[in-house]
């Protein structure tokens, strides 16, 4: 299952860059997760259909071109329909091209499996990635800015009047890394098969 | 010269590729087990950044930006090819990496043996692609500034990976909780290093 035991982020440690960078708020995190899932699924499908015609020596270039084309389409779509979010995501949409999850799944799965299985594999890995993004996004936005999807949770609960303050560190870069470490810790604690020696 | 050093120092310490933008995390986590290999990869990344970012800058400035084709003829002044930049950048990076690999292999076998294994990995390293995209986004003014930025971000990355590798080498002798061993503790230490680097924020020459 790419959901838990083979989660692309926490177990295979792929695609970490974007996972940490876009999760300061929930909304960009969800948009990013959806874009990556779409790109992984479609590129898996395309490469799987082409897999008998690609010469092995230049396969990396072919894969890069397929992925880059899909990412350009995603980027343009985001700019057209969700301009604010696309501004927030800045360079990280373009960086889906070099996201290791995409290349990793193409190399490891789509080159050797049929189109339908590859599509499902892409979906599974995309969802595994999305799961981690949503967890990090919820925690960081809730504690860092006291909101959730832009909705002022802490204010509505009247926490500020009780002397509650937002923890600004949660939206900063280092806290993303530490939270990620904690998520990995939790997961490996409950599943000892994943522990490193 | 002032601007050159300002950008250089800023991109090493303040806008560090790893601690501020998380770029190149995959190879950072996978390769940082020993100082020696980390240093090799760091040098290779710096080198490739130093070549690809200025080349992509020139391509962006004279081919892709809105109105960039004015030097060909006035009638092309309204052409905007910037939607192609992602594809062009990655193609340039992939081919330059391939070329660098061949040149190094031909002229310096010793360096090739040291860097060789890492070079193909670098084509899909987000730090390289990220370097080009940040260059485009921040709109640096001249080739010198772009070179300073490339050199600085490469050095910053090298510093980060050598630092974490040195810590991980020592870590082998300590009692880390079983579930935290390996990746988990590396993330947490990187976070702490990132906090230390935040002290440089607002730093200017």
């Amino acid at each position: 299952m790419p959901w838990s035991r083979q989660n692309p982020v926490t177990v295979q440690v792929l695609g970490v860059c974007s996972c940490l960078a876009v999760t300061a708020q929930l909304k960009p995190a969800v948009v990013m997760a959806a874009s990556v899932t779409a790109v992984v699924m479609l590129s898996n499908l395309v490469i799987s259909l082409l897999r008998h015609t690609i010469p092995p020596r230049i396969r990396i270039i072919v894969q890069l071109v397929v992925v880059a084309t899909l990412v350009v389409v995603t980027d343009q779509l985001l700019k057209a329909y969700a301009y604010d979010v696309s501004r927030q995501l800045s360079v990280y949409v373009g960086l889906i091209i070099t996201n290791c999850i995409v290349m990793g799944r193409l190399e490891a799965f789509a080159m050797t499996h049929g189109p339908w299985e590859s599509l499902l594999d892409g979906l599974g890995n995309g969802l595994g990635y999305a799961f981690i993004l949503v967890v990090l996004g919820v925690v960081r936005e809730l504690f860092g800015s006291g909101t959730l999807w832009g909705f002022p949770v802490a204010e509505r609960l009247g926490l500020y009047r009780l002397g509650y303050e937002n923890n600004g560190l949660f939206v900063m870069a280092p806290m993303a890394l530490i939270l990620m470490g904690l998520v990995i810790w939790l997961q490996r604690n409950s599943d000892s098969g994943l522990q490193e020696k | 010269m002032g601007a050159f050093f300002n950008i250089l120092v800023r991109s090493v310490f303040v806008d560090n590729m790893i601690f501020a933008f998380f770029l190149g995390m995959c190879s950072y986590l996978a390769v940082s087990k020993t100082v020696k290999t980390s240093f090799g990869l760091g040098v290779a990344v710096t080198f490739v950044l130093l070549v690809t970012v200025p080349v992509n800058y020139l391509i962006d400035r004279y081919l892709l930006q809105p109105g960039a084709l004015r030097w060909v003829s006035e009638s092309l002044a309204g052409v905007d090819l910037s939607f192609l930049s992602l594809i062009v950048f990655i193609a340039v990076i992939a081919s330059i990496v391939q070329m660098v690999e061949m040149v190094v292999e031909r002229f310096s076998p010793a360096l090739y043996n040291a860097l060789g294994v890492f070079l193909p990995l670098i084509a899909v390293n987000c730090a390289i692609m990220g370097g080009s995209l940040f260059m485009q986004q921040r709109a640096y003014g001249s080739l010198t500034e772009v070179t300073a930025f490339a050199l600085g971000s490469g050095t910053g990355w090298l510093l980060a990976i050598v630092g974490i590798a040195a810590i991980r080498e020592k870590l082998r002798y300590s009692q880390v909780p079983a579930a935290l061993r390996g990746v988990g503790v590396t993330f947490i230490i990187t976070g702490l290093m990132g906090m230390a680097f935040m002290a440089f924020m607002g730093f200017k020459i």
Side-chain angles (χ1 to χ4, degrees):
Chain A
M1 278 292 285
W3 184 254
S4 55
R5 288 217 70 159
Q6 282 174 21
N7 188 295
V9 182
T10 56
V11 181
Q12 304 172 40
V13 203
L14 298 174
V16 185
C17 333
S18 52
C19 191
L20 297 168
V22 300
T23 49
Q25 286 176 333
L26 186 56
K27 201 174 171 187
V30 170
V31 174
M32 184 70 183
S35 324
V36 170
T37 311
V39 171
V40 181
M41 280 174 73
L42 291 175
S43 58
N44 254 357
L45 179 67
V46 173
I47 292 293
S48 166
L49 287 173
L50 293 175
R51 69 185 189 280
H52 297 301
T53 50
I54 300 175
R57 283 190 67 88
I58 58 158
R59 66 182 193 285
I60 303 274
I61 304 272
V62 176
Q63 290 165 1
L64 273 178
V65 170
V66 170
V67 177
T69 317
L70 288 166
V71 172
V72 170
V73 173
T74 317
D75 188 32
Q76 298 293 321
L77 279 177
L78 281 181
K79 272 187 189 146
Y81 293 104
Y83 190 69
D84 296 337
V85 182
S86 146
R87 295 278 306 177
Q88 271 177 313
L89 290 174
S90 74
V91 298
Y92 293 100
V93 179
L95 285 174
I96 299 177
I97 297 179
T98 51
N99 191 316
C100 328
I101 295 180
V102 182
M103 293 300 283
R105 287 333 285 172
L106 292 181
E107 255 321 85
F109 198 89
M111 287 302 284
T112 47
H113 291 76
W116 177 240
E117 287 138 337
S118 301
L119 193 69
L120 288 182
D121 178 76
L123 179 65
N125 278 283
L127 288 180
Y129 174 82
F131 177 61
I132 302 295
L133 248 77
V134 169
V135 169
L136 286 181
V138 166
V139 174
R140 288 182 71 193
E141 189 175 350
L142 195 59
F143 290 101
S145 357
T147 57
L148 210 54
W149 198 275
F151 181 80
V153 179
E155 201 188 314
R156 290 294 163 86
L157 290 175
L159 288 176
Y160 292 123
R161 269 178 289 137
L162 299 173
Y164 173 79
E165 294 234 5
N166 288 325
N167 187 349
L169 188 61
F170 270 84
V171 291
M172 304 267 226
M175 203 59 205
L177 290 160
I178 293 177
L179 278 176
M180 189 75 198
L182 294 180
V183 170
I184 293 176
W185 189 6
L186 272 179
Q187 193 195 8
R188 296 199 175 170
N189 213 12
S190 56
D191 189 345
S192 54
L194 297 172
Q195 291 172 7
E196 289 173 45
K197 286 182 196 86
Chain B
M1 262 342 243
F4 182 88
F5 280 109
N6 193 13
I7 291 179
L8 185 70
V9 171
R10 273 191 64 91
S11 47
V12 176
F13 294 109
V14 186
D15 296 334
N16 188 290
M17 280 281 184
I18 294 271
F19 300 129
F21 299 110
F22 318 104
L23 294 178
M25 283 302 279
C26 306
S27 35
Y28 170 84
L29 291 167
V31 182
S32 64
K33 288 201 177 97
T34 57
V35 172
K36 211 179 156 206
T37 45
S38 313
F39 188 76
L41 183 66
V43 171
V45 166
T46 313
F47 184 62
V48 173
L49 265 174
L50 209 50
V51 181
T52 54
V53 175
V55 170
N56 276 337
Y57 170 76
L58 291 176
I59 290 180
D60 185 46
R61 177 134 183 219
Y62 293 109
L63 290 176
L64 299 175
Q65 269 177 9
L69 287 170
R70 187 167 284 135
W71 59 273
V72 181
S73 84
E74 268 310 310
S75 57
L76 289 175
V79 178
D80 177 5
L81 292 177
S82 53
F83 68 94
L84 280 178
S85 50
L86 288 179
I87 290 197
V88 173
F89 285 176
I90 195 70
V92 167
I93 288 169
S95 44
I96 285 185
V97 168
Q98 195 78 55
M99 237 149 60
V100 167
E101 198 183 343
M102 290 191 301
V103 170
V104 171
E105 190 181 8
R106 172 74 182 76
F107 291 105
S108 169
L111 186 65
Y112 179 77
N113 287 333
L115 296 184
V117 275
F118 301 121
L119 280 172
L121 270 177
I122 285 178
V124 287
N125 186 326
C126 359
I128 308 290
M129 185 68 182
S132 288
L133 290 173
F134 274 126
M135 172 275 296
Q136 190 190 30
Q137 195 190 39
R138 293 182 191 159
Y140 286 114
S142 68
L143 199 56
T144 348
E145 286 183 26
V146 169
T147 317
F149 165 70
L151 183 62
S153 2
T155 318
W157 203 87
L158 171 74
L159 205 66
I161 196 171
V162 171
I164 193 78
I167 294 177
R168 283 182 84 172
E169 279 191 359
K170 295 285 174 216
L171 211 60
R172 227 173 286 149
Y173 306 107
S174 40
Q175 289 283 329
V176 180
L180 204 54
R181 249 170 242 163
V183 191
V185 78
T186 312
F187 268 113
I188 293 180
I189 292 173
T190 312
L192 296 177
M193 287 167 80
M195 276 189 209
F197 266 69
M198 268 165 70
F200 289 112
M201 221 174 248
F203 193 69
K204 252 188 173 165
I205 289 189

